[in-house]
Amino acid sequence: ETAVFQTPNYHVTQVGNEVSFNCKQTLGHDTMYWYKQDSKKLLKIMFSYNNKQLIVNETVPRRFSPQSSDKAHLNLRIKSVEPEDSAVYLCASSSWTGGFYAEQFFGPGTRLTVL
Amino acid sequence: GQGVEQPAKLMSVEGTFARVNCTYSTSGFNGLSWYQQREGQAPVFLSYVVLDGLKDSGHFSTFLSRSNGYSYLLLTELQIKDSASYLCAVDSNYQLIWGSGTKLIIKP
């Protein structure tokens, strides 16, 4: 099956803990993204990787860091979670075309709840 | 500042049509995408528009007016399964700026 896969689906943790979310795509794409979707459904891009190089790094807190082993994997680590990190984290991939007009394929998301 | 605005909710009736509006104000414009997101699911790409005018894709059509910073997604012959949030996103100078989405509620 060709798609974008994310694990875990849900994660509940306490303030100050470290969490890591995994993303893998089997679509043969060369660009992957991490988005945060808040309770109002607003999507904000956090990171994108093209051929293992960070090409967009929005002003996210330093406790967030992307980790990529190859162009099919892009993980997200949060070093010390805070309550405002509670959200759905969506991973996506696309073929790099020099812009964002390539169709992006999204994973099912990881819902993080910070107590 | 830059922004993409969408109404939060829209209600319509099965078998009729719905027009989902999107207005934007961005420093650059390369194109605009529309995505559908059902509750608890991932966004799914519907359309990408670059040129002014109406782009007819059957059940979904999109309109763009770059001079007015305006686009809409038109859904015809609505079905209950079209109930979802519809997100527009502007490709602006290597940034993708998303609206908060419009939740489309379809009544029988």
Side-chain angles (χ1 to χ4, degrees):
Chain A
E1 183 186 1
T2 54
V4 180
F5 303 94
Q6 288 186 243
T7 57
N9 295 327
Y10 304 92
H11 189 78
V12 181
T13 190
Q14 293 186 327
V15 171
N17 285 350
E18 177 176 317
V19 299
S20 189
F21 303 147
N22 299 316
C23 180
K24 171 187 171 183
Q25 56 93 4
T26 57
L27 295 161
H29 290 157
D30 49 20
T31 305
M32 296 182 72
Y33 313 83
W34 274 106
Y35 288 91
K36 179 181 180 181
Q37 188 169 39
D38 61 23
S39 57
K40 295 183 179 179
K41 302 294 186 184
L42 184 62
L43 274 168
K44 288 186 179 177
I45 190 163
M46 301 180 73
F47 304 102
S48 66
Y49 257 70
N50 172 248
N51 288 328
K52 293 180 66 176
Q53 290 197 342
L54 188 66
I55 54 172
V56 173
N57 187 348
E58 294 298 311
T59 54
V60 298
R62 288 190 174 186
R63 60 182 180 277
F64 290 86
S65 60
Q67 299 168 322
S68 177
S69 56
D70 55 54
K71 68 177 186 179
H73 296 84
L74 184 64
N75 299 332
L76 179 67
R77 187 180 80 153
I78 313 174
K79 208 170 183 180
S80 176
V81 295
E82 297 188 7
E84 61 263 32
D85 298 338
S86 294
V88 175
Y89 291 85
L90 289 162
C91 176
S93 73
S94 71
S95 296
W96 178 246
T97 54
F100 287 101
Y101 49 86
E103 176 181 352
Q104 293 190 19
F105 292 80
F106 285 82
T110 295
R111 181 176 293 277
L112 174 65
T113 301
V114 181
L115 302 176
Chain B
Q2 301 199 104
V4 177
E5 301 291 333
Q6 296 183 252
K9 281 185 183 178
L10 178 64
M11 296 180 73
S12 191
V13 178
E14 185 180 16
T16 66
F17 70 94
R19 191 177 78 185
V20 183
N21 294 323
C22 174
T23 57
Y24 62 90
S25 174
T26 57
S27 58
F29 181 86
N30 297 318
L32 185 147
S33 298
W34 283 96
Y35 284 77
Q36 178 193 63
Q37 186 175 25
R38 292 199 167 93
E39 191 63 39
Q41 297 185 24
V44 174
F45 175 83
L46 293 176
S47 178
Y48 181 81
V49 287
V50 178
L51 301 176
D52 287 347
L54 185 67
K55 180 179 174 184
D56 187 357
S57 302
H59 184 52
F60 298 103
S61 298
T62 49
F63 172 83
L64 176 67
S65 172
R66 287 174 296 176
S67 61
N68 293 313
Y70 171 65
S71 175
Y72 68 72
L73 175 71
L74 179 69
L75 297 88
T76 56
E77 298 183 18
L78 287 171
Q79 302 173 49
I80 299 296
K81 68 177 183 179
D82 292 324
S83 297
S85 289
Y86 292 87
L87 309 170
C88 74
V90 174
D91 177 1
S92 167
N93 295 336
Y94 296 100
Q95 293 184 70
L96 197 59
I97 304 168
W98 293 80
S100 294
T102 296
K103 186 172 183 177
L104 176 61
I105 300 166
I106 301 169
K107 293 185 172 181

